[in-house]
Amino acid sequence: MSTNTISQVAKFGGTSVGDARCIQRVLGIVNEAPGVRLVVLSASGDTTDHLVDLYDAALTGAAVKAARAYERIYEHHTKAAQDLGLSLKDFAELNDRLAELLSVSSQIRRKHPDPALRDRLLGFGEALSCFLFSRFAKQKGRHTAWLDARELLPTDSRYGQARPDREGLKARVEAKLRPLIAAGVLVVTQGFVGADSEGRPTTLGRGGSDFSASLYAEALGVDEVHIWTDVPGVYTTDPREVDSVLPIPHLSYAEAEALAAAGGKVIHPHTVFPARAQGIPIWVGSSLIPGAPGTWIRAAGPKADAQVRALASQDYPVLWIGEWPEAKATECAEKLIARLEEKGGEVLYRSERRVVLAFAERLKFNRDESRWLRACGEWREHLNVRAISLIGQHLDANAGLQARLPELLDGFGVLASVHDEPALAWRVFVPRDQALGLLRHLHRELLENQGLTAHKPAETAACSA
Ligand code: ADP
Ligand code: ASP
Ligand code: MG
């Protein structure tokens, strides 16, 4: 392979660039992989959370809280720059960038939500990471350029959840990125961030850097995309919730997508489709344990077995479950569902007799609406619900599992259990206080005792620990 050819895109998450030691490690990983010519970075550590706090505090006029959030970001990045041994000139530039961040935050007007301004602010985290990494890499003798994602990734203007223009990205990649790579430059860019047609910064949704990496991989037509995170691959469930998780060496695109959509935050749910469009395998592994085998996500073989491969869980503050006899699947229910969607409801499941909707907060109805509501089948509102999803290809063909489910769920106060079609997940809704018990029970019964060795993640701590 020529040194000026790209074969992999590598994305590093928040923990992977969490401090100077981590950033040094990232450069080591990149230098070891000559095919990696594009590095996509997340914000360092908890920076995006601090930026959200800063925005929220400014919006409510909580100046002290806002100042504290800014201070955390300031201290975190100046310490990293110091520990990386950056030059005085770099320090001056870092200071300018941090001053710009403060100036943007000062434009937030009390009680005037401004999604465009919020995205502008939230994007600073990734920019600061790119700044630190590119300067450090240069200092270490690597020919590096930071190409701003706002100039690369065109999106629509849905601030906070922007959708990429994949064709537009391709054109910009050819015009701006490919020539740099061909000239032997290691290019660094921000994950999570793009810009709309007016040039205003946008973000792809929390955790969206994985999605960015996959989009760049698709546009470049590389052989692999590498997602470096704080766990050595995808496990059978979140290792923060279950001790006896098992590593999963291979997952299909569909399984990975279903796992992420069901709340398994190891990758962003939209990471899969751009890579899948080009048949690009996605590898997930830990930058803290670079030698570990990790997980490969690629197209399923022809003989995928109908087994539960993983569990995921997701919280819903307010859940509505509507049920009606088939004969009564009437206009009334249709209209009601439409009304509930207008009130912000997200339909999680829908069949002829049942609908499950999630809301961010409790709904208010006037007396007329309440009467109308009672006339349309049976509607129940539940607060603090968690959905546990069983993920696996062709679960609907697993008669044994279906027969066993009632016994497995017995005693857990299940509010509804649904089979998502054509998704691969069985979803079980339970009160949040029962969810962890159920997750552990299902993990024990369905995933442990399969002849695999239980694997407690060896290291999830920050690099400098
Ligand atoms: P990054 O900042 O690198 O994007 P994230 O925190 O977004 O990292 O995702 C990694 C985290 O995802 C892990 O620390 C882990 O707690 C969580 N996670 C949830 N489900 C899984 C799973 N099935 N396998 C591995 N990690 C999981
Ligand atoms: N920094 C962003 C977030 O925390 C994007 C990402 O990490 O993927 O949501
Ligand atoms: Mg993430």
Side-chain angles (χ1 to χ4, degrees), residues 119 155-163 196 202-203:
D119 266 11
T155 71
D156 65 12
S157 298
R158 289 203 344 172
Y159 300 110
Q161 282 295 334
R163 281 174 296 211
D196 67 11
T202 55
T203 64

Side-chain angles (χ1 to χ4, degrees), residues 11 13 42 207-208 210 229 265-268:
K11 174 260 172 179
S42 287
D210 305 323
T229 179
K265 72 173 275 219
V266 60
I267 57 167
H268 186 278

Side-chain angles (χ1 to χ4, degrees), residues 31 34 56 83 90 95 102 113 116 137 140 201 203 207 251 320 356 383 393 410 418 428 444 456 458:
N31 283 342
D56 290 346
D83 295 346
D90 289 339
N95 251 313
L102 190 61
K140 291 290 167 195
T203 64
L251 270 177
W320 274 63
V356 181
L383 304 182
Q393 206 107 294
D410 192 33
V418 299
V428 181
R444 208 165 33 244
K456 176 76 185 124

Side-chain angles (χ1 to χ4, degrees), residues 277-359:
Q278 290 281 322
I280 301 168
I282 303 168
W283 177 85
V284 182
S286 169
S287 67
L288 309 174
I289 319 170
T295 298
W296 282 101
I297 299 167
R298 46 163 67 100
K303 276 201 191 155
D305 55 355
Q307 295 301 324
V308 177
R309 309 282 321 279
L311 301 172
S313 60
Q314 196 155 29
D315 285 333
Y316 295 102
V318 182
L319 202 78
W320 274 63
I321 301 174
E323 278 168 309
W324 50 89
E326 211 159 347
K328 251 186 109 190
T330 52
E331 235 177 279
C332 178
E334 286 300 326
K335 275 195 194 150
L336 184 54
I337 293 165
R339 177 74 64 91
L340 291 170
E341 283 186 284
E342 273 165 30
K343 283 180 177 276
E346 181 202 348
V347 176
L348 300 179
Y349 174 79
R350 176 100 202 249
S351 70
E352 285 200 347
R353 292 166 172 224
R354 182 191 276 170
V355 63
V356 181
L357 292 124
F359 295 89

Side-chain angles (χ1 to χ4, degrees), residues 229-251 255-256 259-260 263-267 284-286 288-289 292-297 308-313 389 391 439 443 447 452-460:
T229 179
D230 60 358
V231 280
V234 181
Y235 285 117
T236 43
T237 194
D238 191 338
R240 287 184 215 181
E241 301 201 304
V242 176
D243 282 341
S244 46
V245 289
L246 303 157
I248 308 179
H250 298 279
L251 270 177
E255 287 167 335
L259 176 74
K265 72 173 275 219
V266 60
I267 57 167
V284 182
S286 169
L288 309 174
I289 319 170
T295 298
W296 282 101
I297 299 167
V308 177
R309 309 282 321 279
L311 301 172
S313 60
S389 297
I391 313 291
L439 181 70
H443 193 268
L447 289 157
L452 296 161
T453 318
H455 178 103
K456 176 76 185 124
E459 212 183 319
T460 49

